[in-house]
Amino acid sequence: MTIYIALLRGINVGGNNKIKMAELKAAFENLGLTRVQTYIQSGNILFESEEGAGALRLRIEQEIHAVFGISLTVVLRTAEELERMIQNCPFAAESLSAGQSIHVSALTEPLSQQQIDLLSNGISEIDEVHIHGHEIYVLYGQSILDSKLAKNLQKLGGVVTTRNWNTMNKLAALAKAMKA
């Protein structure tokens, strides 16, 4: 069995696309997924399955649409992929200054050159970005709310969902505990 982490894009944000985690957990269990657990309200679900990621992602998106009436993107990572995401982070969390934060955007597919150019137009002298395969690592120099880069990430649409560094590390710890 493979341990997966599903990152749902755009639920329970700003009062939109509201889904209760208990109901989301039940929907995943109805798909035959096992050891399902959720973490915080932003759509982070850990579970086990023997299915491959491609077909599984589509089934989850279809189930969410059928049960909740919400069309959204699900980004899947295995526990091993999540561990590599954390290891590949080019920024040191322990060296952050006041106001700085690290966020990781998980992609469903690599960025096109046009998308990379869009992100590049949003980089200020206080933000740093590193694109690595299916992930974008961002070090925000100040509030994410004031960042043009954060706004440009949103313009990428359904191919990306973003989590802060603390959430990514907590998900990795939960996945590791599932392996034990």
Side-chain angles (χ1 to χ4, degrees), residues 42-103:
S42 58
N44 308 294
I45 305 97
L46 297 96
F47 61 92
E48 283 187 331
S49 177
E50 292 179 354
E51 265 184 86
L56 187 56
R57 177 179 163 231
L58 291 176
R59 279 197 332 118
I60 293 169
E61 288 176 352
Q62 290 168 351
E63 182 74 1
I64 290 169
H65 185 263
V67 173
F68 303 104
I70 298 171
S71 296
L72 55 74
T73 299
V74 174
V75 178
L76 285 182
R77 294 294 188 267
T78 65
E80 291 76 20
E81 289 168 335
L82 183 63
E83 285 177 28
R84 279 194 299 279
M85 285 172 70
I86 290 172
Q87 292 168 356
N88 289 334
C89 182
F91 309 116
E94 56 277 353
S95 340
L96 293 177
S97 300
Q100 290 184 318
S101 63
I102 299 171
H103 287 73

Side-chain angles (χ1 to χ4, degrees), residues 17-41:
N17 297 334
K18 288 187 169 193
I19 300 177
K20 293 181 180 176
M21 292 301 100
E23 293 172 3
L24 185 61
K25 180 181 181 204
F28 271 62
E29 289 169 340
N30 288 339
L31 287 170
L33 306 175
T34 59
R35 299 181 64 199
V36 179
Q37 59 180 304
T38 63
Y39 175 67
I40 63 178
Q41 299 295 313

Side-chain angles (χ1 to χ4, degrees), residues 70-177:
I70 298 171
S71 296
L72 55 74
T73 299
V74 174
V75 178
L76 285 182
R77 294 294 188 267
T78 65
E80 291 76 20
E81 289 168 335
L82 183 63
E83 285 177 28
R84 279 194 299 279
M85 285 172 70
I86 290 172
Q87 292 168 356
N88 289 334
C89 182
F91 309 116
E94 56 277 353
S95 340
L96 293 177
S97 300
Q100 290 184 318
S101 63
I102 299 171
H103 287 73
V104 181
S105 296
L107 301 162
T108 58
E109 56 196 52
L111 295 176
S112 68
Q113 188 58 52
Q114 183 180 8
Q115 291 169 316
I116 292 170
D117 293 344
L118 173 67
L119 285 181
S120 297
N121 290 334
I123 301 173
S124 70
E125 63 278 350
I126 59 170
D127 296 333
E128 294 182 48
V129 65
H130 179 78
I131 301 169
H132 183 80
H134 284 76
E135 284 82 43
I136 303 169
Y137 299 90
V138 180
L139 173 64
Y140 290 104
Q142 293 179 2
S143 171
I144 187 173
L145 300 174
D146 299 328
S147 172
K148 184 177 177 186
L149 178 59
K151 289 174 181 59
N152 283 356
L153 270 169
Q154 291 300 315
K155 292 178 184 175
L156 297 178
V159 302
V160 63
T161 188
T162 301
R163 300 296 187 273
N164 69 42
W165 191 241
N166 291 337
T167 297
M168 296 302 286
N169 279 288
K170 181 62 177 179
L171 291 170
L174 290 169
K176 188 174 187 177

